[in-house]
Amino acid sequence: MKIITSVTVFNDAIGMRMSATYSEVDDATGRIVSDNKRFDRVVTDKSVKTDAQALLDYATSSLPE
């Protein structure tokens, strides 16, 4: 099974991008097959972009003084 271990959303010259890391674990043994693999995607789904922007806005509003 593949397990997402982190997700980052950010804006760059292409648009809104998502970068994620994951680990792969053998279902039968629990052994880690691969660790800290990364992939990137441009976010194109409108509802996902809206949700991601809400999270970015929340992070901005949470900045320390």
Side-chain angles (χ1 to χ4, degrees):
M1 87 180 106
K2 293 180 181 176
I3 302 167
I4 295 290
T5 55
S6 71
V7 177
T8 303
V9 177
F10 56 96
N11 293 301
D12 66 5
I14 295 173
M16 184 174 284
R17 191 182 293 228
M18 175 188 72
S19 177
T21 58
Y22 67 96
S23 296
E24 191 169 358
V25 177
D26 182 290
D27 289 335
T29 65
R31 186 176 67 88
I32 297 172
V33 176
S34 61
D35 198 17
N36 205 30
K37 297 283 194 168
R38 178 180 160 168
F39 66 95
D40 297 288
R41 298 286 184 273
V42 174
V43 179
T44 57
D45 182 291
K46 189 172 181 163
S47 67
V48 173
K49 286 173 91 170
T50 300
D51 292 342
Q53 188 60 54
L55 186 56
L56 291 170
D57 293 345
Y58 177 73
T60 300
S61 72
S62 299
L63 284 169
E65 296 287 325

